Each structure stands twice: as structure tokens, then as C-alpha cells.
Amino acid sequence: MSSVTEKSSTILSASCSGRICKWKIEPSELMMSSDSAIFMEDSKEDVERKIKKAFCPEKVIEGNPLFDYIKYIIFPKDGEFRLIRAEKNGGNKTYKDYETLVEDYKKGDVHPGDLKPSTAKHINDMIEPVREHFRNDPEAKRILELVRSFDVTR
């Protein structure tokens, strides 16, 4: 098991057996539920549920785990953040840099009710190829079931 801790309290850890690694991303300790870590094999609905339950106060960046995901995972991979929201709330907007998103959130121009589903969509899009691999590769499916059968102790 290896882990990396960032100043923001984001923890990325991997548990590997041979060539198979199970990644676990735990943004801030403020995601209070023990069911908050997002796993590569989580269903779309699991990711949406976990993000929906995440601590995300209006206009607050410090300790906000969604901004950990956005800064350390979404921007490095996608190079942008696509905010999806109703026209009455300002319509969709694509952020090309993290700082502008932070400014808009602090001003209240971005609401947690829009940030959460947009973050979940980014994460789901990112891990869908992994889900597909586990669905379509018989050996990967077998190994995943084996890993899920193990008891995890902390």
C-alpha cells in the first residue's frame, strides 16, 4: 500500500496485487461518511451518491473536497472543468483554469447544486473505461470478484 498526502488533505492510495491495482481517492476528511471514497469500479450511481453527500458549503473552498477532486484530478486530466447547469442559473460554462472557477465559486456565481453533478459527471467519464474493462474482460471480472471477497481492515 502506498499513499501520497497533499497539503489539502487529499489522499491517493493504491493497493496492488501483481498487475492489478485498486486506487482509492479520499479528498478531505470533511467527507464524513465512511462510504465516501470513490473506487475505480464504483457504479455511476455510486459516484453520484457519494459526491451528492460530500461536504460542499457555498462560497467556501478551504476544506471543500470537491475542489480537491477538481484541482488534483479533473483539471490535470481534462485540462478544463465543464459546469453543467440550467439556463436560469447561468447556463453551462467551461472553465479553462482552476483559479477562475475558484473566484466564481467564492463570489457565489457557482452553486454547490451545480458543482456536485458536474464533478460527478467528470469523474464518471474518467472511470467509465475501467468499468467497461471489468465488464468485458473475463479475467479482469474474475480478479475483481476475488478482490471484493477480501476483508479489508484498517
Side-chain angles (χ1 to χ4, degrees):
M1 173 75 86
S2 62
S3 67
V4 176
T5 304
E6 294 285 342
K7 182 179 176 187
S8 67
S9 301
T10 298
I11 299 171
L12 172 65
S13 59
S15 151
C16 300
S17 173
R19 292 182 0 181
I20 303 296
C21 291
K22 186 169 187 172
W23 290 93
K24 182 176 180 181
I25 303 163
E26 293 181 284
S28 156
E29 61 276 354
L30 294 173
M31 276 183 95
M32 295 303 215
S33 170
S34 62
D35 185 34
S36 63
I38 294 174
F39 295 95
M40 297 301 286
E41 74 274 4
D42 277 352
S43 71
K44 178 179 182 263
E45 294 78 19
D46 287 338
V47 172
E48 290 169 351
R49 176 181 46 79
K50 290 174 181 184
I51 294 295
K52 186 175 182 177
K53 289 182 357 182
F55 176 80
C56 186
E58 276 187 68
K59 301 180 183 180
V60 177
I61 305 300
E62 185 70 29
N64 187 329
L66 268 69
F67 280 91
D68 288 342
Y69 280 124
I70 294 165
K71 182 176 185 178
Y72 295 109
I73 298 169
I74 295 169
F75 264 106
K77 183 188 176 297
D78 295 342
E80 64 184 22
F81 182 81
R82 294 174 312 280
L83 182 70
I84 303 161
R85 60 185 174 185
E87 240 358 274
K88 69 178 182 175
N89 296 331
N92 297 344
K93 184 170 183 179
T94 299
Y95 288 90
K96 296 293 185 181
D97 65 88
Y98 176 77
E99 292 75 20
T100 304
L101 174 60
V102 166
E103 285 175 27
D104 283 359
Y105 192 79
K106 284 180 177 180
K107 290 188 301 190
D109 292 345
V110 175
H111 189 272
D114 298 318
L115 189 71
K116 287 182 175 193
S118 299
T119 303
K121 172 138 181 40
H122 274 276
I123 292 170
N124 274 318
D125 289 349
M126 198 176 301
I127 64 177
E128 182 55 34
V130 176
R131 291 185 198 119
E132 189 172 316
H133 174 71
F134 285 121
R135 279 192 303 266
N136 297 328
D137 183 302
E139 181 64 7
K141 189 183 292 189
R142 185 189 70 73
I143 292 170
L144 178 60
E145 291 307 317
L146 178 64
V147 169
R148 285 182 174 161
S149 73
F150 297 147
D151 285 332
V152 177
T153 58
R154 295 177 189 248

